[in-house]
């Protein structure tokens, strides 16, 4: 039988820990990250890579959560064992995980993560904390129910713990499964590393780009088809066609608008080449991004350069990913300009999109080591082809 003092201690610890979790999450929120990014933290250069710390903590969290779930569904409820596990998680595992994810490189220290990975890592750690909070809520619910049963049962001479109901067991298993799912995603992120994440993001952005490209192509083809059909149907319907044709006519290119149609064709050709660029960058640059040893220090990292006067690889990678993200966003604006039949806006947006693509390729024209290679020669040909399209 659980001792009343142990139950009270478990309830108090669960409530105290619940108030701690939002503080952990807020320290990893984007607003908090932006506010502290300009103030480098002073931590020792011999600390391990944050991904290694998060990976170790996440593995422990899965183990502790499994033990917690077993303690909850197996009668009798043992407050002392639950207290120990909650303490292990809150003061050890979660605090270590949050500290690693929230860390930023100090001046003169090489950035192990980069902006993209740091943001993704913090987001996934916040998710893990949120799912573990659900398990903690179940601990509190079980402890308070047991305390209530103990008080009512003492008056009737019944204090036996018959354990959780089937529904409660399913709640525990579901909450545990959510923690495991979040932990597995975080472990994969850590295992794939920076290179794995940037390749995945580039593929996602390329898909967005290609989707927009297909929509533009279909829109252009629909213009031609609808013009041909309109000639044969006007006499039959007295000038009143299909409702979609009538109310959609305002954003269709007329056959006489040759300049806008030519610009659309040019845009489609240029966007096709940008799709090829994502593939080449993924294979020749993103997948070959060099790993950095924990605690490594760049001689002149404060100004974003390595000792040889070349930009630090992580600085170049951050800039590259900004451009690769911006391209599909610009393509969305380009499509909107075409749908509005705004030729000038479409032309300016296409120029901006091409500029982002050229900036991206210029950043990594040379290898991460600052040397010419096959991609260097290919990139020059690609820029010429883009300009000629």
């Amino acid at each position: 039988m659980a001792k009343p003092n142990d139950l009270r201690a478990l309830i108090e610890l669960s409530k105290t820990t619940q108030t701690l979790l939002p503080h952990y999450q807020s320290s990893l929120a984007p607003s908090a990250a932006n506010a502290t990014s300009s103030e480098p933290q002073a931590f020792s250069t011999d600390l391990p890579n944050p991904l290694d710390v998060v990976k170790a903590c996440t593995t422990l969290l899965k183990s502790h959560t499994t033990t917690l779930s077993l303690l909850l569904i197996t009668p009798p409820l043992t407050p002392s064992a639950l207290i120990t596990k909650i303490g292990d998680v809150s003061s050890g595992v979660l605090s270590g995980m949050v500290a690693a994810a929230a860390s930023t490189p100090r001046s003169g220290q090489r950035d192990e993560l980069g902006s993209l990975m740091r943001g993704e890592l913090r987001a996934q750690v916040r998710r893990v904390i949120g799912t573990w909070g659900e398990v903690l809520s179940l601990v509190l619910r079980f402890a308070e129910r047991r305390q209530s049963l103990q008080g009512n049962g003492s008056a009737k001479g019944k204090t036996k713990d018959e354990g959780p109901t089937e529904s409660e067991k399913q709640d525990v298993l579901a909450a545990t499964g959510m923690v495991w799912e979040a932990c597995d995603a975080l472990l994969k992120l850590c295992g794939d590393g920076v290179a794995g994440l940037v390749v995945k993001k580039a593929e996602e952005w390329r898909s967005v780009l290609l989707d927009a490209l297909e929509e533009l192509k279909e829109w252009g083809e629909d213009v031609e088809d609808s013009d041909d059909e309109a000639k044969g149907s006007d006499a039959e319907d007295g000038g009143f066609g299909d409702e979609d044709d009538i109310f959609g006519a305002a954003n269709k290119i007329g056959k006489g608008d040759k300049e806008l149609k030519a610009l659309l064709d040019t845009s489609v050709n240029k966007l096709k080449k940008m799709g090829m660029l994502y593939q080449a960058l993924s294979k020749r640059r993103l997948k070959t991004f060099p790993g950095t040893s924990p605690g490594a220090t760049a001689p002149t990292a404060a100004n974003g350069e390595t000792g040889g006067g070349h930009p630090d690889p992580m600085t170049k990678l951050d800039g590259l990913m900004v451009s690769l993200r911006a391209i599909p966003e610009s393509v969305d604006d380009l499509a909107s300009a075409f749908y509005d039949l705004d030729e000038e806006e479409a032309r300016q947006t296409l120029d901006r999109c091409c500029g982002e693509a050229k900036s991206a390729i210029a950043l990594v024209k040379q290898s991460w080591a600052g040397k010419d290679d096959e991609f260097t020669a290919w990139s020059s040909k690609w820029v010429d082809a883009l300009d000629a399209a």
Side-chain angles (χ1 to χ4, degrees):
M1 182 180 68
K3 297 179 181 179
N5 288 342
D6 288 344
L7 277 173
R8 282 194 294 270
L10 176 59
I11 291 171
E12 183 62 30
L13 176 61
S14 298
K15 290 181 177 179
T16 301
T17 306
Q18 279 185 326
T19 63
L20 182 64
L21 298 186
H23 293 291
Y24 279 153
Q25 290 189 311
S26 64
S27 69
L28 299 172
S31 57
N34 293 335
T36 58
S37 60
S38 60
E39 298 291 336
Q41 296 181 5
F43 61 88
S44 173
T45 56
D46 61 359
L47 286 178
N49 186 303
L51 294 181
D52 294 337
V53 176
V54 171
K55 183 177 180 180
C57 290
T58 304
T59 302
L60 279 175
L61 181 62
K62 287 183 66 176
S63 175
H64 289 323
T65 302
T66 301
T67 303
L68 270 173
S69 66
L70 291 173
L71 289 171
L72 285 175
I73 64 178
T74 306
L77 192 71
T78 51
S80 58
L82 289 168
I83 288 171
T84 298
K85 282 298 169 186
I86 292 174
D88 290 340
V89 171
S90 61
S91 64
V93 174
L94 290 184
S95 60
M97 183 185 296
V98 170
S103 65
T104 54
R106 60 177 297 178
S107 179
Q109 185 181 30
R110 178 172 296 174
D111 188 356
E112 301 280 1
L113 302 182
S115 298
L116 190 66
M117 172 58 86
R118 185 170 290 104
E120 186 71 18
L121 184 66
R122 290 174 176 176
Q124 291 208 24
V125 169
R126 291 183 75 225
R127 180 189 172 207
V128 167
I129 294 172
T131 59
W132 194 78
E134 294 300 316
V135 175
L136 186 62
S137 295
L138 288 174
V139 174
L140 179 59
R141 189 210 302 178
F142 279 37
E144 288 178 334
R145 190 201 64 172
R146 182 58 192 150
Q147 186 181 54
S148 176
L149 289 174
Q150 227 175 39
N152 294 334
S154 297
K156 301 177 182 180
K158 297 179 181 180
T159 58
K160 183 180 179 181
D161 185 357
E162 296 181 355
T165 64
E166 189 61 33
S167 176
E168 288 172 330
K169 288 181 180 180
Q170 292 303 315
D171 288 342
V172 172
L173 294 176
T176 303
M178 292 297 292
V179 174
W180 269 65
E181 182 181 346
C183 286
D184 286 343
L186 185 52
L187 288 171
K188 186 177 189 310
L189 178 68
C190 295
D192 291 346
V194 173
L197 176 65
V198 294
V199 168
K200 176 186 175 184
K201 289 296 183 181
E203 290 174 349
E204 292 174 357
W205 296 331
R206 178 176 179 269
S207 295
V208 174
L209 168 64
L210 295 181
D211 287 344
L213 171 61
E214 285 303 312
E215 288 182 9
L216 274 177
K217 287 170 62 179
E218 290 176 5
W219 181 71
E221 293 167 358
D222 182 56
V223 169
E224 296 176 356
D225 294 341
S226 61
D227 282 345
D228 292 336
E229 293 171 2
K231 288 183 178 180
S233 61
D234 281 348
E236 301 172 6
D237 57 29
F240 293 95
D242 183 81
E243 180 182 341
D244 290 338
D245 291 335
I246 297 171
F247 294 100
N251 69 340
K252 290 184 177 179
I253 303 177
K255 277 203 168 183
D257 199 343
K258 295 182 179 180
E259 290 187 4
L260 189 59
K261 183 63 172 67
L263 181 59
L264 176 62
D265 293 340
T266 298
S267 299
V268 168
N269 289 334
K270 289 183 183 294
L271 293 181
K272 286 180 180 178
K273 289 177 172 56
M274 290 180 201
M276 294 171 55
L277 174 62
Y278 276 80
Q279 288 181 306
L281 284 171
S282 291
K283 181 178 181 180
R284 300 295 180 178
R285 289 294 182 258
L286 300 183
K287 289 182 179 180
T288 62
F289 184 74
T292 53
S293 58
T297 302
T300 55
N303 60 6
E305 294 186 350
T306 59
H310 298 289
D312 178 74
M314 189 62 76
T315 302
K316 292 169 66 175
L317 181 64
D318 279 345
L320 174 62
M321 300 311 288
V322 168
S323 290
L324 293 184
R325 185 203 301 264
I327 291 172
E329 293 174 353
S330 295
V331 172
D332 282 342
D333 294 337
L334 176 64
S336 296
F338 274 114
Y339 299 155
D340 292 339
L341 304 182
D342 190 335
E343 181 182 344
E344 183 60 28
E345 180 65 22
R347 197 176 300 278
Q348 291 178 5
T349 307
L350 178 61
D351 288 343
R352 185 171 73 247
C353 192
C354 292
E356 287 287 359
K358 290 178 181 179
S359 295
I361 205 168
L363 271 173
V364 290
K365 186 173 184 178
Q366 292 185 311
S367 70
W368 298 112
K371 298 179 179 179
D372 289 347
D373 57 11
E374 291 181 357
F375 182 83
T376 306
W378 182 89
S379 64
S380 296
K381 295 178 181 178
W382 183 88
V383 171
D384 291 340
L386 182 69
D387 290 336

